[in-house]
Amino acid sequence: MIHIAEKSDALMPSDRNGRARTSAWIFAALNSVEPQIQNLAELDLFHAREAWAPMRRPMALEAAQKRLAAVENWLGNRDYLEDRFTAADLMMTTVLRIPRHNRHRLRSAVLKAYLERCESRPAFQKAMADHLRPFEATAA
């Protein structure tokens, strides 16, 4: 993602500080937020019937909520992680989509609005349609 973003001013600012912040948010999405959300999703989707899962889930939920709260606090009234949409928002959107199985995955109005804003971008809509097309053709 960083390699691609560095080649596009649309995905990464050209100034040194902006590039560093965008890169930092990409790493944060993948290394701080995603592991916690993925752990919770794995419990819900693959281990829900295991005897130990109900004991593990509260800890996993707390860890995920802690990371999501940090993102929410940073966003505050911002539309995006930085002053404009960047590759960091692409990565964070991808991470926030992981718990789609849970209707109440994002209880935060700030995070819900952020995710909806990022997903409603025309480029995201096109990329998702292109990605899903082969699966839809196979299902038909």
Side-chain angles (χ1 to χ4, degrees), residues 48-135:
R49 293 192 175 128
E50 300 291 336
W52 53 265
M55 293 180 284
R56 175 70 180 108
R57 193 175 192 286
M59 292 178 283
L61 179 61
E62 181 181 349
Q65 288 174 334
K66 181 179 177 182
R67 295 298 184 190
L68 292 172
V71 176
E72 176 185 10
N73 288 339
W74 173 261
L75 280 169
N77 292 324
R78 292 177 177 93
D79 285 340
Y80 301 107
L81 295 170
E82 289 297 322
D83 61 346
R84 65 175 180 87
F85 183 86
T86 68
D89 298 296
L90 277 174
M91 194 55 65
M92 191 64 75
T93 298
T94 301
V95 168
L96 294 178
R97 289 174 53 84
I98 291 171
R100 290 186 305 276
H101 66 283
N102 184 340
R103 284 184 41 215
H104 307 291
R105 69 186 189 272
L106 298 176
R107 295 183 182 178
S108 157
V110 170
L111 291 178
K112 282 181 184 177
Y114 171 71
L115 185 58
E116 289 171 8
R117 193 167 31 258
C118 291
E119 289 179 328
S120 68
R121 296 179 46 131
F124 183 89
Q125 293 292 314
K126 181 185 180 322
M128 283 304 296
D130 291 348
H131 172 72
L132 293 174
R133 191 169 296 112
F135 298 102

